[in-house]
Amino acid sequence: MTHLPDPCLPVGALSGSWERVRDGLPSIRPEKKDGLKIVVVGAGLSGSSVSATLAEQGYRVTLITYHDSPRRAHSVAAQGGINAARPIRDSGLDGIDELFKDTLRGGDFRAREASCRRLAEISSSIIDQCVAQGVPFAREYSGELATRRFGGALLSRTFYARGQTGQQLLYGAYQSLMRQVANKRVELLPHRDVIELIKVNGVVRGVISRNLLNGELEAHKANAVILATGGYSNVYFLSTNSIKSNASVIWRAHRQGAFFANPCFTQIHPTCIPSGDDFQSKLTLMSESLRNDGRIWLPKKAHDERNPSNIPEIDRDYFLERLYPSYGNMVPRDVASRRAKELCDSGFGVGVGGRSIYLDLRDAILMQGSDVIKSKYGNLLEMYERIVGEDPYLMPMRIYPAPHYTMGGLWVDYNLMSNLPGLFVLGEANCTVHGANRLGANALLQCLGDGYFIAPYSIAAWLATQTFTSNWKQIDNACKDALSTARNRIDGLIKVNGEVPVDNFHRELGDIMIKRCGISRNKNDLRTGLNEVKTLQNKFHSQVRIPPLENSPNPELEKAMRVADFLELAQLILVDAHSREESCGAHFREEYQSAEGEAVRDDKHFAHIAAWEYVEGGKSIKHLENLTFKEFPPSTRCYQ
């Protein structure tokens, strides 16, 4: 049934398997590396870290980003922290087994066991790497690195730099990157939007980019291409992602043959500042780390419009603590989001339209003092006050779930290579370790693990097996074909010459997706949503308005290309969600739940990765990679 290539999973015991695989990989002579060129697309944590590492090893690297600087990448927005398996005090445990199990269980057993094990085993080295770069992690009075808890875990294993962890980690990778730029080992190309792959005899040999400043199309040849372009939650329009975050590169790769895996696994984050009005274009995340000290509650009485300060303790429902006494406010994101939505839908919500819940720091401030809370979360609370206009030290914060992270992405094997030879995919753009629901604080961990400790070895191993004797005329012809495809696509969008702005279509698409395939899904809504998106897509291609500015900056063209891709991706998300007839993690099908409203998996029929193959003008073909579990057998997730 499947045309999936070998996922290259390690054999034997999982413990230490990555080290055995890594040590057995072929290598390349140092003098040969200088003649090999690698194109990296995306300058966030994965892209910057892998570019710096490969350049340090001697390769020639071209790093392409649509930002003016890698420091603007969306990785900068990650707030709460990064997990690592450090030894657990007074327990005799090294923490690796615990992080491995929490990652696999947090993903509801829909991720590869071997990849989750590898992530846990390399996690401690990632912290050491970042400390050596000068990342200012919080420390205890003794000088030891401080940690805190994140959702889905009972252990305190998350390292942090107040509420700026992603920013500080990105700056660490950035300084390593810029050292290689100064050494002329990395060519940094900002203001570029990659819109097509270059393929020669099925092997990816470069990319086509559009210069955002002058509109020129450029061909970048390479011996291997790395995509590190992040996730696709902006398909929902309102999300916690940067407005420019998009899925165009991985979607164009999918259209050219790369398999897209588990697209319906989209995570809704429970602690986001709610939308203020109908004209808002982005949502702001409040770090999950606030749930360490903040208590989540709602009034026990429906439609209670009293000021929260006037609601006595007896009238407050700390519903997560009531429903999940073991984990309390630190239950996984999918669980917290569903419970919040259910109560708001039942009339217990607060704020505008009853679409908020309270995250209250009152008790923590009384117990620890405002100075301690400020030292942990000061910049987050300041950001909240600036956006909302309320002092979170005096009033409970109002939050609501919002689209945040996407666990799906391009299918890759254990070595992070897609089914297209020469195309490697890192970080949130792939589908390796997060299953159906990413464990809190594992995003930064995966990005740096892929960039610093996995891809540099696996890419070198693949390059070592290649002779690259392709006829240069073939490569030039492939570049011309890719340039022609890109140009025709741009011309086709501009020639529509409609009257409806691009943002109107994006906003309408987001409304459809959050309604039909958001926190919960059902068969009828998914079918209806698919028809609605197809109708919207037809309308887009006949009515969209784009200024005819081809050889100059044209933000509307950039947005139109992104929305055109989102319209296609949204249909695959809906098809994937419809075909997965179970509830698992963030994919909650209303037809498959327990009497208590918890997700009911179907391990007999759906313990697999669904990898979709694009078919021009036809239905996508689903390939299955069956998941097996040797060390940690699947069990029902229980956080009570």
Side-chain angles (χ1 to χ4, degrees), residues 230-406:
Y232 50 90
S233 64
N234 271 356
V235 72
Y236 290 90
F237 186 69
L238 283 179
S239 79
T240 65
N241 277 11
S242 163
I243 292 174
K244 283 190 173 184
S245 295
N246 64 83
S248 286
V249 182
I250 59 173
W251 186 253
R252 304 319 294 180
H254 173 59
R255 286 179 61 98
Q256 291 181 258
F259 293 166
F260 207 116
N262 297 338
C264 75
F265 288 165
T266 53
Q267 186 177 78
I268 310 293
H269 199 291
T271 57
C272 178
I273 299 178
S275 175
D277 55 47
D278 291 337
F279 300 99
Q280 193 163 331
S281 59
K282 184 191 179 305
L283 299 176
T284 303
L285 177 69
M286 286 287 100
S287 171
E288 181 173 298
S289 62
L290 287 163
R291 292 199 275 160
N292 276 278
D293 292 298
R295 301 181 70 189
I296 291 174
W297 64 277
L298 281 172
K300 290 183 179 179
K301 179 182 176 182
H303 309 293
D304 191 333
E305 297 182 359
R306 285 180 291 176
N307 185 298
S309 301
N310 297 330
I311 300 178
E313 195 74 11
I314 194 172
D315 291 338
R316 300 184 178 196
D317 179 15
Y318 297 94
F319 57 92
L320 292 181
E321 298 174 27
R322 170 173 57 83
L323 294 169
Y324 307 99
S326 295
Y327 283 74
N329 297 298
M330 300 307 293
V331 292
R333 294 171 178 177
D334 60 312
V335 176
S337 294
R338 282 200 296 275
R339 299 292 88 86
K341 180 181 183 295
E342 289 165 0
L343 286 170
C344 288
D345 288 348
S346 300
F348 294 91
V350 299
V352 178
R355 308 305 293 177
S356 301
I357 61 176
Y358 289 128
L359 176 59
D360 198 342
L361 292 166
R362 181 196 64 176
D363 292 347
I365 291 172
L366 290 174
M367 184 178 300
Q368 303 174 43
S370 58
D371 289 343
V372 173
I373 298 301
K374 186 175 182 179
S375 69
K376 294 180 180 179
Y377 314 109
N379 61 301
L380 293 172
L381 303 182
E382 180 183 351
M383 181 169 64
Y384 178 87
E385 184 173 7
R386 287 184 178 183
I387 294 172
V388 179
E390 295 178 358
D391 186 348
Y393 292 96
L394 303 176
M395 293 279 289
M397 304 167 72
R398 283 179 288 110
I399 59 171
Y400 192 72
H404 175 59
Y405 191 91
T406 50

Side-chain angles (χ1 to χ4, degrees), residues 236 263-264 266 268 511-522 525-526 529 570 573-574 577-578 586-587:
Y236 290 90
C264 75
T266 53
I268 310 293
D511 289 342
I512 294 170
M513 292 303 292
I514 197 66
K515 180 180 180 181
R516 305 300 185 188
C517 195
I519 296 175
S520 59
R521 302 97 186 262
N522 62 65
D525 276 353
L526 292 169
I573 292 173
L574 291 162
H578 185 272
H587 172 65

Side-chain angles (χ1 to χ4, degrees), residues 140-266:
E140 306 287 0
Y141 183 75
S142 63
E144 292 182 279
L145 294 177
T147 59
R148 55 193 180 199
R149 283 178 61 201
F150 252 60
L154 292 175
L155 298 174
S156 178
R157 65 160 75 90
T158 303
F159 299 78
Y160 63 96
R162 295 183 76 189
Q164 303 171 341
T165 312
Q167 181 185 56
Q168 298 302 326
L169 292 174
L170 183 61
Y171 286 176
Y174 174 75
Q175 68 182 15
S176 298
L177 169 68
M178 295 311 293
R179 175 176 179 270
Q180 297 302 327
V181 172
N183 289 341
K184 302 188 184 305
R185 305 296 309 181
V186 173
E187 179 186 20
L188 178 59
L189 299 178
H191 301 294
R192 264 77 170 183
D193 198 6
V194 172
I195 55 178
E196 208 71 35
L197 298 182
I198 298 169
K199 291 170 57 182
V200 179
N201 297 326
V203 179
V204 176
R205 296 299 304 274
V207 299
I208 302 297
S209 69
R210 179 177 180 272
N211 190 314
L212 301 180
L213 300 181
N214 58 27
E216 291 183 3
L217 296 180
E218 305 165 338
H220 306 278
K221 303 173 187 177
N223 298 103
V225 172
I226 299 172
L227 304 185
T229 53
Y232 50 90
S233 64
N234 271 356
V235 72
Y236 290 90
F237 186 69
L238 283 179
S239 79
T240 65
N241 277 11
S242 163
I243 292 174
K244 283 190 173 184
S245 295
N246 64 83
S248 286
V249 182
I250 59 173
W251 186 253
R252 304 319 294 180
H254 173 59
R255 286 179 61 98
Q256 291 181 258
F259 293 166
F260 207 116
N262 297 338
C264 75
F265 288 165
T266 53

Side-chain angles (χ1 to χ4, degrees), residues 477-491:
N477 288 336
C479 290
K480 291 177 182 178
D481 291 342
L483 284 166
S484 177
T485 299
R487 172 55 62 195
N488 291 338
R489 180 174 176 236
I490 291 171
D491 291 343

